[in-house]
Structure formats: structure tokens, C-alpha cells
Amino acid sequence: MARLRFETPFGPMALEGETALTRLWLPGTLPDLRGRGEETPLLRAAREALLAYFAGERRDFDLPLAPAGTDFQRAVWDALRAIPYGQTRTYGEIAAAVGRPKAVRAVGQANHVNPLPIFIPCHRVVGKGGALTGYAGGLDLKRALLALEAEKECR
């Protein structure tokens, strides 16, 4: 599996994938990757897309994604991809969107195991009343991503 480690304004991240992206590791979650890894055209395009997003020059991604998960997890991740840039949804709203309004905790678990954060924007999911809840990259990163999108949305 091709992997690429790179620097971002938020710290080191890494991507994985051959014909589609299968994983994005956020700062603090990186596996032991010796060196930078293999810079394939897909991984290079994904890195450049992320860096443009962080610079406020990109709002969405058109790269092939292939996250591994259950049918329910993939339904949740599809619902997350439908959240517009600069907006948030609650776990309850996502549960309702996938036709399982009582599955709020299961939605939270699907967010927790999302292998492609940012590309599948689980940072846009908040608790009831807008409370910030857990994020694989930490609440500081979640707060920064939401602030980035809010700032660029106002322009």
C-alpha cells in the first residue's frame, strides 16, 4: 500500500491508497512510517488538495475515496460528505439522515472510526446545542478546522 507522510500547518499527516484514498492520519495518530513514503500521483494530488483546503483555497474534494467500513458506517460517512462547507450537523441529525434516528451513539462511533477525516468531514459533526465533542485529531484541531471554514465562508 502506498503511503505518504507530509507536513501541514497543523502538524505531520499521512495518506494511504493505491487507486483510491483509504486512510488519512491526523497529527498525533501517525503510525511509524519510515521516511516520507511513496509519492504516487494520487497521494500527491491528495496532499496538494489538503494543503489548499488548509490555505482556504479549496472547499471540497473530488478524489476517489475507498473507506473500509460496515454498511451503516458507509451510510454515515456519505451523510457527512453531504454537510456543506462551513456548516455543522448534530449526531442526531446525521442519525435521522441515515434513517436511524435513535442510533445517535452508533453515529458517534462511525465518526470515531472514520478512516478519512477531512475528506469525510466528521469535524463538522457537533453535539446537541453545538457542543464540540471528540475528534481523532483532538478538539483543538476540530476547533481550528471549524474556524477555518467559518472564516472562509464569511468572505
Side-chain angles (χ1 to χ4, degrees), residues 68-109:
T70 66
D71 289 343
F72 176 78
Q73 289 168 337
R74 287 193 304 273
V76 168
W77 300 335
D78 286 345
L80 300 182
R81 292 182 75 195
I83 303 171
Y85 180 95
Q87 295 184 25
T88 60
R89 298 291 184 270
T90 65
Y91 293 95
E93 289 171 323
I94 298 300
V98 299
R100 304 265 310 271
K102 294 184 179 185
V104 175
R105 287 180 190 243
V107 166
Q109 184 59 28

Side-chain angles (χ1 to χ4, degrees), residues 1 16-23 42-43 64-66:
M1 184 62 65
E16 179 179 86
E18 293 288 338
T19 58
L21 296 175
T22 56
R23 181 92 177 160
L42 172 65
L43 297 181
L65 306 180

Side-chain angles (χ1 to χ4, degrees), residues 1-4 6 14-18 20-26 29-31 43 46 50 65-68 112-117 119 136:
M1 184 62 65
R3 290 181 174 167
L4 175 64
F6 60 101
L15 290 158
E16 179 179 86
E18 293 288 338
L21 296 175
T22 56
R23 181 92 177 160
L24 169 64
W25 285 279
L26 299 174
T29 67
L30 271 72
L43 297 181
L50 281 171
L65 306 180
H112 179 71
V113 299
N114 173 8
L116 288 163
F119 294 106

